[in-house]
Every structure is written in C-alpha cells, then in structure tokens.
Amino acid sequence: QVHLVESGGGLVQAGGSLRLSCAASGRTFSTYTMGWFRQAPGKEREFVAAISWHGLSTNYADSVKGRFTISRVNAKNTVYLQMNSLKPEDTAVYYCAARKTWGTTAELGAGNEYDYWGQGTQVTVSS
C-alpha cells in the first residue's frame, strides 16, 4: 500500500514557477514508478510526467517538456514536480500517482495503469 499526499499548489502569475511535492507513506515507495497527472475543469485527466523508482528514467508530456522537471528523493519518501515558465493553460488540479513498474510510453501515460493516487492540489496560473 502507498498513501500519497500532494502539496505546494497555489496561485502564480504566468511565467512564474511552482514546485509541487508528493509525500508517500510506506516502505515500498522507493520501488514504485511515480507519475504526475493533471485535470482542468471540463477536460480529461492528462499525463504530465513520470519517474522510475531509481530516478534515472523520466518521461514527459510534450506540453511540459523543457518547462517541468520531475524528481524524487526516496530517503524523504517524496516526489517533486518543478514547474517553470508556467502558462494559464497549466491551470489544473495536479495529482501524483504510483505504479509498480516502469513501462511503455502508453502505459506511463494512462491513468488506469497506476495503482495509487493522491487527493490532488490546485494550481492556478493567472494571465
């Protein structure tokens, strides 16, 4: 079992930066692949980024590549999403999620391929 709690969301101006954190419970955290997803009002949940258990492999959605960075510190049971050059279209509820293994691009990008989810944290980017 992995319990996930996101934090760090808030209001930021376009062009600004924000760092989200996802704290995980359980000794098995370090063995899980972690991902970030987001959902804007009226839209489907979409993949943002993923990181392997050892932190050596990452995958990003094209929409955030070069602007967002996913990282993890297993000793702190925490995964991060550093968001730079934020745009109004980044406004959404951001969720962290966990799955047991690394996978294909399709698997990593599909919400139904993840086993555990946090409650979400709101990110609002003003124009």
Side-chain angles (χ1 to χ4, degrees):
Q1 279 283 328
V2 178
H3 180 64
L4 307 174
V5 180
E6 301 97 331
S7 62
L11 176 65
V12 64
Q13 293 183 342
S17 297
L18 202 62
R19 187 176 75 163
L20 305 183
S21 299
C22 178
S25 66
R27 62 188 178 185
T28 61
F29 169 77
S30 63
T31 71
Y32 279 77
T33 289
M34 301 296 297
W36 285 97
F37 290 76
R38 66 187 183 186
Q39 187 168 23
K43 295 196 173 185
E44 297 290 329
R45 178 178 54 191
E46 66 174 343
F47 171 75
V48 177
I51 187 167
S52 61
W53 71 269
H54 44 57
L56 298 179
S57 298
T58 58
N59 184 249
Y60 295 93
D62 288 341
S63 60
V64 306
K65 194 171 299 181
R67 299 188 299 122
F68 291 10
T69 302
I70 188 170
S71 63
R72 67 192 298 165
V73 180
N74 289 343
K76 296 182 178 180
N77 293 327
T78 302
V79 61
Y80 303 96
L81 185 69
Q82 178 66 46
M83 304 183 294
N84 298 326
S85 301
L86 283 162
K87 305 174 181 180
E89 50 262 46
D90 294 318
T91 295
V93 176
Y94 283 70
Y95 300 90
C96 66
R99 71 191 306 270
K100 294 183 71 68
T101 62
W102 191 247
T104 65
T105 298
E107 290 172 331
L108 295 175
N112 61 7
E113 294 287 344
Y114 289 75
D115 302 302
Y116 305 101
W117 293 85
Q119 83 290 342
T121 185
Q122 176 71 48
V123 172
T124 302
V125 184
S126 62
S127 301

